Amino acid sequence: YYGWQYGPREIISYFQKNNADYEELIMDYHFNSPGIFFKFYAPENYDQCRVGSIQELFDPKKKQLFAYRPEIIEENWLFFQDKNVRTIKLIPYPNGEPAFHLFEITPNTQL
């Protein structure tokens, strides 16, 4: 499904329904020309949407929603060690396997 660019429509649909709750909506950048999906699926409402890496775009001062493939989350496990991650939604592939996790990140205040 990855080769067919599966997921952006579902991600952006969720972003649009919940954009009032977040300052930034950030999507995985592992697509061919990922920014075009915002213009295609949300042509009037994508100002707060971003594409990029978790480590570059995470800002603990902002309310952000991230949408990334499980493999990207696993590759960045060190980044997540001192943070709390709360899964908001799981978007599955048509075969039922996890395609994308939509989640919030907050710093761990107990350190």
Side-chain angles (χ1 to χ4, degrees), residues 3 10 12-13 28 36 39 44 55 62-64 111:
E10 292 78 7
I12 294 168
S13 174
D28 193 340
I36 197 70
K39 294 177 184 177
E44 304 295 323
Q55 294 186 33
K62 293 182 179 177
K63 178 115 182 196
Q64 299 171 304
L111 294 179

Side-chain angles (χ1 to χ4, degrees), residues 38-49:
F38 293 119
K39 294 177 184 177
F40 184 75
Y41 292 119
E44 304 295 323
N45 191 16
Y46 64 91
D47 291 339
Q48 68 200 91
C49 298

Side-chain angles (χ1 to χ4, degrees), residues 55-92:
Q55 294 186 33
E56 291 174 4
L57 296 176
F58 172 66
D59 184 343
K61 296 174 186 163
K62 293 182 179 177
K63 178 115 182 196
Q64 299 171 304
L65 180 64
F66 296 86
Y68 284 86
R69 293 182 300 122
E71 300 85 43
I72 302 304
I73 296 168
E74 290 171 19
E75 289 172 11
N76 289 279
W77 68 272
L78 277 173
F79 171 76
F80 292 109
Q81 280 189 323
D82 63 343
K83 296 168 185 67
N84 296 310
V85 177
R86 183 170 75 102
T87 299
I88 304 299
K89 181 174 179 63
L90 178 64
I91 296 175

